[in-house]
Amino acid sequence: MDSPQAPGRRTFASDNWAGVHPEVLDAVARANDGGHAPSYGADRWTAEATRLLADHFGPDTAAYFVFNGTGANVVGLQSMLRPFETVVCAAGAHIDVDECGAPERFLGSKLLTVPTADGKLTPDLVAGAVTGIGDEHHVQARVISITQSTEVGTVYSVEEITALSDWAHAHGLLVHLDGARIANAAAALGVDVGAFGAAAGVDVVSFGGTKNGAFGAEAVLTFRDESTTSLRFIRKQSMQLSSKMRFVAAQFVALLTDDLWRRSAEHANAMALRLGVGAARIPGVTLAYPVQANGVFAVLPPPVTAALQSDYPFYVWDEATGVVRWMTAFDTTESDVDAFVARLAELMQALA
Ligand SMILES: Cc1ncc(COP(=O)(O)O)c(C=O)c1O
């Protein structure tokens, strides 16, 4: 077995273990050909990427490019909240468990976490968490943050998001969508990425580029005037304003040209489905969640997990339940999947 660091070796650890899509790299190289260009986003690539995003999300879209997903979430949420206001999110949301407390530190706001069966919030679940409104002793719920696709690989339908937005707006709340894998969700449902923006009542989107084949390119999108007026300043103060912005923006131009975002996401999703189907056929292996995007969550006996990890690095999602996570990317191949499933079958057989 090659080491995971061997050239060309692909794993199922995360979609951010994948390299950069060649079309993205080409676009960056082309942006470098033109000599000097204005800095801080006053360049033509930023204008073009912003125009392309507006083609998907509507003419009232304001786009702010940033370096990473945690930054996109924190910057976007800052434009929606005051410190005594709070974010309602699913327990296990990236903003809750995987951002080292950055939202709490930089927003100064509490997160209200809600347990879910499948990573998805519903109006009923949120309603149970929104209490004490108007009471100065209680934090005031202001934003519902959802993740699309979710941290457990499930996907909200457009109708589910719209129902949450309708509920939020009727109760004086706003909606933030962490779209680190927005492309995978759109490809899974066969809709445009723009279906998860203002069209579904969402106020601010963190639009992920990195897991879709870019490197260090994410965007905060808003369709809300109050966020638009403050986001330029919040981004700079949050140290997420790139001086050589053209190289971040050029990556979005590539993703949004010839539907690269969709081609890559559809492929990653198809590989996850192949992996999920293959794994579920092995006696003793069960899936913890349905495979709806590019993540597969399986329950394995711990000795099999340990043996498989020594060939293929991947993360244990929940030690208590034995759930492991496998992610696919734009460059995962059918033979990668088949070899992985074959090795898993061998290890399960050996244990039987
Ligand atoms: C759901 C979700 N949101 C946001 C992010 C972005 O994180 P990062 O700050 O590592 O780019 C990730 C990355 O793992 C993620 O899975």
Side-chain angles (χ1 to χ4, degrees):
M1 182 65 60
D2 291 338
S3 96
Q5 278 75 36
R9 177 84 158 80
R10 287 175 295 272
T11 78
F12 296 90
S14 181
D15 32 8
N16 62 16
W17 281 45
V20 180
H21 194 287
E23 291 175 45
V24 172
L25 270 187
D26 282 353
V28 171
R30 282 198 305 279
N32 197 37
D33 280 345
H36 288 206
S39 54
Y40 297 114
D43 59 274
R44 68 185 170 83
W45 293 268
T46 302
E48 173 70 351
T50 304
R51 188 188 64 72
L52 289 168
L53 283 163
D55 285 348
H56 290 272
F57 286 88
D60 296 331
T61 307
Y64 300 87
F65 299 101
V66 296
F67 298 113
N68 59 30
T70 301
N73 287 339
V74 172
V75 166
L77 286 168
Q78 267 186 82
S79 75
M80 309 169 85
L81 282 171
R82 291 170 291 181
F84 57 87
E85 293 172 330
T86 182
V87 182
V88 183
C89 62
H94 200 268
I95 56 170
D96 176 34
V97 297
D98 278 319
E99 298 187 354
C100 194
E104 289 92 334
R105 175 172 180 190
F106 292 101
L107 304 172
S109 290
K110 196 176 171 75
L111 302 183
L112 287 178
T113 58
V114 179
T116 68
D118 57 0
K120 296 200 276 182
L121 292 173
T122 63
D124 281 351
L125 287 174
V126 173
V130 176
T131 56
I133 299 299
D135 181 338
E136 68 190 5
H137 298 281
H138 290 261
V139 286
Q140 301 295 293
R142 177 61 171 148
V143 174
I144 301 173
S145 180
I146 60 174
T147 308
Q148 177 76 319
S149 54
T150 72
E151 286 79 1
V152 293
T154 51
V155 173
Y156 286 90
S157 69
V158 174
E159 294 72 26
E160 286 170 331
I161 296 177
T162 307
L164 270 167
S165 303
D166 288 347
W167 189 94
H169 296 153
H171 291 82
L173 278 75
L174 300 169
V175 179
H176 165 256
L177 184 141
D178 176 350
R181 299 187 179 90
I182 194 171
N184 300 92
L189 296 181
V191 300
D192 188 74
V193 276
F196 307 136
V202 172
D203 298 284
V204 174
V205 171
S206 299
F207 189 113
T210 307
K211 292 177 168 64
N212 193 221
F215 59 104
E218 312 279 314
V220 179
L221 310 181
T222 187
F223 325 101
R224 178 178 179 261
D225 289 347
E226 298 88 321
S227 288
T228 303
T229 48
S230 59
L231 268 167
R232 287 170 60 222
F233 304 103
I234 292 171
R235 176 177 61 179
K236 177 66 181 181
Q237 197 174 51
S238 306
M239 298 162 279
Q240 286 280 330
L241 176 65
S242 171
S243 60
K244 293 193 179 176
M245 183 71 86
R246 68 174 138 153
F247 300 109
V248 179
Q251 297 178 57
F252 272 99
V253 173
L255 293 179
L256 297 169
T257 298
D258 298 331
D259 274 351
L260 175 59
W261 67 270
R262 186 187 291 284
R263 286 184 274 132
S264 295
E266 274 176 353
H267 176 79
N269 290 356
M271 292 303 101
L273 195 60
R274 186 180 183 93
L275 175 50
V277 168
R281 279 202 194 112
I282 301 170
V285 176
T286 52
L287 298 186
Y289 302 99
V291 179
Q292 295 178 344
N294 66 322
V296 180
F297 292 75
V299 189
L300 296 186
V304 170
T305 297
L308 191 58
Q309 276 177 320
S310 66
D311 297 335
Y312 292 90
F314 60 83
Y315 294 100
V316 173
W317 194 250
D318 184 352
E319 276 184 22
T321 53
V323 175
V324 299
R325 185 191 78 164
W326 303 318
M327 301 302 299
T328 55
F330 69 87
D331 61 348
T332 307
T333 65
E334 290 186 355
S335 48
D336 293 335
V337 171
D338 296 347
F340 183 77
V341 170
R343 180 70 184 131
L344 173 60
E346 218 172 79
L347 290 168
M348 289 298 294
Q349 173 75 33
L351 197 76

PDB file of all heavy atoms in Angstrom, residues 6 26 28 51 56 60 82 97 107-108 127 130 154 189-190 192 197 225 227 251 289 296 304 323 345:
ATOM      1  N   ALA A   6       2.321   9.510  -0.778  1.00  0.00           N
ATOM      2  CA  ALA A   6       2.899   9.156  -2.071  1.00  0.00           C
ATOM      3  C   ALA A   6       2.217   9.946  -3.177  1.00  0.00           C
ATOM      4  O   ALA A   6       1.017  10.184  -3.118  1.00  0.00           O
ATOM      5  CB  ALA A   6       2.728   7.662  -2.315  1.00  0.00           C
ATOM      6  N   ASP A  26      -5.208  26.789 -13.781  1.00  0.00           N
ATOM      7  CA  ASP A  26      -5.010  27.521 -15.046  1.00  0.00           C
ATOM      8  C   ASP A  26      -5.517  28.946 -14.923  1.00  0.00           C
ATOM      9  O   ASP A  26      -4.890  29.882 -15.406  1.00  0.00           O
ATOM     10  CB  ASP A  26      -5.800  26.855 -16.191  1.00  0.00           C
ATOM     11  CG  ASP A  26      -5.092  25.615 -16.706  1.00  0.00           C
ATOM     12  OD1 ASP A  26      -3.955  25.362 -16.265  1.00  0.00           O
ATOM     13  OD2 ASP A  26      -5.695  24.905 -17.540  1.00  0.00           O
ATOM     14  N   VAL A  28      -5.762  30.751 -12.274  1.00  0.00           N
ATOM     15  CA  VAL A  28      -4.858  31.537 -11.432  1.00  0.00           C
ATOM     16  C   VAL A  28      -3.608  31.917 -12.232  1.00  0.00           C
ATOM     17  O   VAL A  28      -3.132  33.061 -12.183  1.00  0.00           O
ATOM     18  CB  VAL A  28      -4.502  30.753 -10.150  1.00  0.00           C
ATOM     19  CG1 VAL A  28      -3.402  31.447  -9.365  1.00  0.00           C
ATOM     20  CG2 VAL A  28      -5.748  30.581  -9.280  1.00  0.00           C
ATOM     21  N   ARG A  51     -19.929  39.288 -10.830  1.00  0.00           N
ATOM     22  CA  ARG A  51     -21.002  39.248 -11.837  1.00  0.00           C
ATOM     23  C   ARG A  51     -21.509  37.809 -12.020  1.00  0.00           C
ATOM     24  O   ARG A  51     -22.719  37.562 -12.082  1.00  0.00           O
ATOM     25  CB  ARG A  51     -20.465  39.793 -13.174  1.00  0.00           C
ATOM     26  CG  ARG A  51     -21.534  39.974 -14.243  1.00  0.00           C
ATOM     27  CD  ARG A  51     -20.950  40.315 -15.595  1.00  0.00           C
ATOM     28  NE  ARG A  51     -20.114  39.259 -16.171  1.00  0.00           N
ATOM     29  CZ  ARG A  51     -20.556  38.101 -16.659  1.00  0.00           C
ATOM     30  NH1 ARG A  51     -21.853  37.836 -16.627  1.00  0.00           N
ATOM     31  NH2 ARG A  51     -19.712  37.208 -17.164  1.00  0.00           N
ATOM     32  N   HIS A  56     -26.110  33.727 -10.703  1.00  0.00           N
ATOM     33  CA  HIS A  56     -26.722  32.589 -10.004  1.00  0.00           C
ATOM     34  C   HIS A  56     -27.662  33.034  -8.881  1.00  0.00           C
ATOM     35  O   HIS A  56     -28.722  32.454  -8.698  1.00  0.00           O
ATOM     36  CB  HIS A  56     -25.632  31.680  -9.407  1.00  0.00           C
ATOM     37  CG  HIS A  56     -24.847  30.934 -10.450  1.00  0.00           C
ATOM     38  ND1 HIS A  56     -25.241  29.711 -10.934  1.00  0.00           N
ATOM     39  CD2 HIS A  56     -23.723  31.256 -11.125  1.00  0.00           C
ATOM     40  CE1 HIS A  56     -24.377  29.288 -11.839  1.00  0.00           C
ATOM     41  NE2 HIS A  56     -23.446  30.218 -11.974  1.00  0.00           N
ATOM     42  N   ASP A  60     -29.259  41.426  -6.843  1.00  0.00           N
ATOM     43  CA  ASP A  60     -29.021  42.143  -5.581  1.00  0.00           C
ATOM     44  C   ASP A  60     -27.954  41.470  -4.722  1.00  0.00           C
ATOM     45  O   ASP A  60     -27.833  41.763  -3.527  1.00  0.00           O
ATOM     46  CB  ASP A  60     -30.324  42.235  -4.768  1.00  0.00           C
ATOM     47  CG  ASP A  60     -31.362  43.059  -5.506  1.00  0.00           C
ATOM     48  OD1 ASP A  60     -30.946  43.959  -6.272  1.00  0.00           O
ATOM     49  OD2 ASP A  60     -32.569  42.792  -5.340  1.00  0.00           O
ATOM     50  N   ARG A  82     -25.727  41.447  16.917  1.00  0.00           N
ATOM     51  CA  ARG A  82     -25.081  42.216  17.980  1.00  0.00           C
ATOM     52  C   ARG A  82     -24.755  41.221  19.103  1.00  0.00           C
ATOM     53  O   ARG A  82     -25.359  40.141  19.161  1.00  0.00           O
ATOM     54  CB  ARG A  82     -26.021  43.316  18.465  1.00  0.00           C
ATOM     55  CG  ARG A  82     -26.225  44.398  17.408  1.00  0.00           C
ATOM     56  CD  ARG A  82     -27.321  45.368  17.760  1.00  0.00           C
ATOM     57  NE  ARG A  82     -28.635  44.735  17.715  1.00  0.00           N
ATOM     58  CZ  ARG A  82     -29.788  45.361  17.961  1.00  0.00           C
ATOM     59  NH1 ARG A  82     -29.782  46.638  18.267  1.00  0.00           N
ATOM     60  NH2 ARG A  82     -30.940  44.731  17.896  1.00  0.00           N
ATOM     61  N   VAL A  97     -18.547  23.199  16.615  1.00  0.00           N
ATOM     62  CA  VAL A  97     -17.523  22.264  17.111  1.00  0.00           C
ATOM     63  C   VAL A  97     -16.188  22.306  16.374  1.00  0.00           C
ATOM     64  O   VAL A  97     -15.228  21.716  16.841  1.00  0.00           O
ATOM     65  CB  VAL A  97     -18.040  20.798  17.098  1.00  0.00           C
ATOM     66  CG1 VAL A  97     -19.218  20.631  18.031  1.00  0.00           C
ATOM     67  CG2 VAL A  97     -18.415  20.333  15.697  1.00  0.00           C
ATOM     68  N   LEU A 107     -17.678  37.129  17.398  1.00  0.00           N
ATOM     69  CA  LEU A 107     -19.022  37.707  17.405  1.00  0.00           C
ATOM     70  C   LEU A 107     -19.347  38.235  18.795  1.00  0.00           C
ATOM     71  O   LEU A 107     -20.166  39.128  18.959  1.00  0.00           O
ATOM     72  CB  LEU A 107     -20.088  36.657  17.045  1.00  0.00           C
ATOM     73  CG  LEU A 107     -19.925  35.910  15.720  1.00  0.00           C
ATOM     74  CD1 LEU A 107     -20.936  34.780  15.622  1.00  0.00           C
ATOM     75  CD2 LEU A 107     -20.091  36.863  14.574  1.00  0.00           C
ATOM     76  N   GLY A 108     -18.731  37.602  19.793  1.00  0.00           N
ATOM     77  CA  GLY A 108     -19.104  37.928  21.172  1.00  0.00           C
ATOM     78  C   GLY A 108     -20.493  37.409  21.494  1.00  0.00           C
ATOM     79  O   GLY A 108     -21.114  37.827  22.471  1.00  0.00           O
ATOM     80  N   ALA A 127     -38.014  26.473  17.032  1.00  0.00           N
ATOM     81  CA  ALA A 127     -38.989  27.133  17.913  1.00  0.00           C
ATOM     82  C   ALA A 127     -38.735  26.758  19.374  1.00  0.00           C
ATOM     83  O   ALA A 127     -38.860  27.596  20.275  1.00  0.00           O
ATOM     84  CB  ALA A 127     -40.410  26.761  17.501  1.00  0.00           C
ATOM     85  N   VAL A 130     -35.917  29.021  20.780  1.00  0.00           N
ATOM     86  CA  VAL A 130     -36.086  30.481  20.775  1.00  0.00           C
ATOM     87  C   VAL A 130     -37.009  30.868  21.925  1.00  0.00           C
ATOM     88  O   VAL A 130     -38.230  30.827  21.797  1.00  0.00           O
ATOM     89  CB  VAL A 130     -36.631  30.949  19.406  1.00  0.00           C
ATOM     90  CG1 VAL A 130     -36.911  32.450  19.412  1.00  0.00           C
ATOM     91  CG2 VAL A 130     -35.633  30.595  18.300  1.00  0.00           C
ATOM     92  N   THR A 154     -26.082  15.005   4.805  1.00  0.00           N
ATOM     93  CA  THR A 154     -27.468  15.081   4.338  1.00  0.00           C
ATOM     94  C   THR A 154     -27.693  16.444   3.672  1.00  0.00           C
ATOM     95  O   THR A 154     -26.884  17.367   3.821  1.00  0.00           O
ATOM     96  CB  THR A 154     -28.450  14.883   5.511  1.00  0.00           C
ATOM     97  OG1 THR A 154     -28.086  15.783   6.567  1.00  0.00           O
ATOM     98  CG2 THR A 154     -28.385  13.452   6.033  1.00  0.00           C
ATOM     99  N   LEU A 189     -29.380  17.823  -5.686  1.00  0.00           N
ATOM    100  CA  LEU A 189     -30.811  18.074  -5.918  1.00  0.00           C
ATOM    101  C   LEU A 189     -31.104  18.414  -7.377  1.00  0.00           C
ATOM    102  O   LEU A 189     -32.276  18.571  -7.748  1.00  0.00           O
ATOM    103  CB  LEU A 189     -31.288  19.237  -5.038  1.00  0.00           C
ATOM    104  CG  LEU A 189     -31.229  19.033  -3.522  1.00  0.00           C
ATOM    105  CD1 LEU A 189     -31.754  20.267  -2.805  1.00  0.00           C
ATOM    106  CD2 LEU A 189     -32.032  17.806  -3.095  1.00  0.00           C
ATOM    107  N   GLY A 190     -30.032  18.603  -8.168  1.00  0.00           N
ATOM    108  CA  GLY A 190     -30.247  18.993  -9.569  1.00  0.00           C
ATOM    109  C   GLY A 190     -30.785  20.412  -9.691  1.00  0.00           C
ATOM    110  O   GLY A 190     -31.552  20.725 -10.595  1.00  0.00           O
ATOM    111  N   ASP A 192     -29.762  24.852  -9.185  1.00  0.00           N
ATOM    112  CA  ASP A 192     -28.640  25.775  -9.242  1.00  0.00           C
ATOM    113  C   ASP A 192     -28.225  26.135  -7.810  1.00  0.00           C
ATOM    114  O   ASP A 192     -29.063  26.126  -6.897  1.00  0.00           O
ATOM    115  CB  ASP A 192     -29.061  27.042  -9.989  1.00  0.00           C
ATOM    116  CG  ASP A 192     -27.861  27.934 -10.237  1.00  0.00           C
ATOM    117  OD1 ASP A 192     -27.052  27.589 -11.111  1.00  0.00           O
ATOM    118  OD2 ASP A 192     -27.710  28.947  -9.527  1.00  0.00           O
ATOM    119  N   GLY A 197     -30.087  30.699  -1.992  1.00  0.00           N
ATOM    120  CA  GLY A 197     -29.843  32.078  -1.572  1.00  0.00           C
ATOM    121  C   GLY A 197     -31.147  32.795  -1.292  1.00  0.00           C
ATOM    122  O   GLY A 197     -32.064  32.238  -0.654  1.00  0.00           O
ATOM    123  N   ASP A 225     -29.467  44.593   2.672  1.00  0.00           N
ATOM    124  CA  ASP A 225     -28.791  45.898   2.639  1.00  0.00           C
ATOM    125  C   ASP A 225     -27.903  46.144   3.857  1.00  0.00           C
ATOM    126  O   ASP A 225     -26.773  46.605   3.734  1.00  0.00           O
ATOM    127  CB  ASP A 225     -29.830  47.028   2.559  1.00  0.00           C
ATOM    128  CG  ASP A 225     -30.492  47.046   1.185  1.00  0.00           C
ATOM    129  OD1 ASP A 225     -29.961  46.374   0.275  1.00  0.00           O
ATOM    130  OD2 ASP A 225     -31.541  47.706   1.043  1.00  0.00           O
ATOM    131  N   SER A 227     -26.360  44.128   5.791  1.00  0.00           N
ATOM    132  CA  SER A 227     -25.104  43.371   5.769  1.00  0.00           C
ATOM    133  C   SER A 227     -24.175  43.955   4.724  1.00  0.00           C
ATOM    134  O   SER A 227     -22.958  44.077   4.934  1.00  0.00           O
ATOM    135  CB  SER A 227     -25.374  41.893   5.453  1.00  0.00           C
ATOM    136  OG  SER A 227     -25.973  41.262   6.560  1.00  0.00           O
ATOM    137  N   GLN A 251     -10.236  32.126  -8.996  1.00  0.00           N
ATOM    138  CA  GLN A 251     -10.661  30.751  -8.694  1.00  0.00           C
ATOM    139  C   GLN A 251     -12.184  30.627  -8.794  1.00  0.00           C
ATOM    140  O   GLN A 251     -12.700  29.626  -9.289  1.00  0.00           O
ATOM    141  CB  GLN A 251     -10.206  30.362  -7.291  1.00  0.00           C
ATOM    142  CG  GLN A 251      -8.689  30.361  -7.143  1.00  0.00           C
ATOM    143  CD  GLN A 251      -8.276  30.029  -5.735  1.00  0.00           C
ATOM    144  OE1 GLN A 251      -8.632  28.978  -5.208  1.00  0.00           O
ATOM    145  NE2 GLN A 251      -7.512  30.913  -5.117  1.00  0.00           N
ATOM    146  N   TYR A 289     -26.046   7.479   8.137  1.00  0.00           N
ATOM    147  CA  TYR A 289     -26.915   8.491   7.525  1.00  0.00           C
ATOM    148  C   TYR A 289     -27.050   8.152   6.044  1.00  0.00           C
ATOM    149  O   TYR A 289     -26.155   7.530   5.467  1.00  0.00           O
ATOM    150  CB  TYR A 289     -26.294   9.901   7.651  1.00  0.00           C
ATOM    151  CG  TYR A 289     -26.041  10.289   9.090  1.00  0.00           C
ATOM    152  CD1 TYR A 289     -24.765  10.171   9.645  1.00  0.00           C
ATOM    153  CD2 TYR A 289     -27.076  10.740   9.899  1.00  0.00           C
ATOM    154  CE1 TYR A 289     -24.530  10.501  10.979  1.00  0.00           C
ATOM    155  CE2 TYR A 289     -26.856  11.068  11.230  1.00  0.00           C
ATOM    156  CZ  TYR A 289     -25.581  10.942  11.757  1.00  0.00           C
ATOM    157  OH  TYR A 289     -25.366  11.256  13.073  1.00  0.00           O
ATOM    158  N   VAL A 296     -19.837   9.885   3.289  1.00  0.00           N
ATOM    159  CA  VAL A 296     -20.393   8.580   3.669  1.00  0.00           C
ATOM    160  C   VAL A 296     -20.049   8.369   5.143  1.00  0.00           C
ATOM    161  O   VAL A 296     -18.890   8.508   5.547  1.00  0.00           O
ATOM    162  CB  VAL A 296     -19.772   7.440   2.824  1.00  0.00           C
ATOM    163  CG1 VAL A 296     -20.346   6.089   3.232  1.00  0.00           C
ATOM    164  CG2 VAL A 296     -19.989   7.693   1.331  1.00  0.00           C
ATOM    165  N   VAL A 304     -11.592  -2.900  12.901  1.00  0.00           N
ATOM    166  CA  VAL A 304     -11.604  -2.736  11.439  1.00  0.00           C
ATOM    167  C   VAL A 304     -11.249  -1.281  11.096  1.00  0.00           C
ATOM    168  O   VAL A 304     -10.462  -1.014  10.174  1.00  0.00           O
ATOM    169  CB  VAL A 304     -12.984  -3.137  10.854  1.00  0.00           C
ATOM    170  CG1 VAL A 304     -13.101  -2.744   9.395  1.00  0.00           C
ATOM    171  CG2 VAL A 304     -13.202  -4.633  11.043  1.00  0.00           C
ATOM    172  N   VAL A 323     -18.948   5.469  14.552  1.00  0.00           N
ATOM    173  CA  VAL A 323     -19.239   6.061  13.233  1.00  0.00           C
ATOM    174  C   VAL A 323     -17.961   6.686  12.664  1.00  0.00           C
ATOM    175  O   VAL A 323     -17.261   7.440  13.359  1.00  0.00           O
ATOM    176  CB  VAL A 323     -20.348   7.132  13.328  1.00  0.00           C
ATOM    177  CG1 VAL A 323     -20.557   7.816  11.974  1.00  0.00           C
ATOM    178  CG2 VAL A 323     -21.657   6.511  13.802  1.00  0.00           C
ATOM    179  N   ALA A 345     -14.007  -4.926   2.802  1.00  0.00           N
ATOM    180  CA  ALA A 345     -14.647  -6.246   2.795  1.00  0.00           C
ATOM    181  C   ALA A 345     -13.689  -7.301   3.350  1.00  0.00           C
ATOM    182  O   ALA A 345     -14.078  -8.167   4.154  1.00  0.00           O
ATOM    183  CB  ALA A 345     -15.083  -6.602   1.376  1.00  0.00           C
TER     184      ALA A 345
END
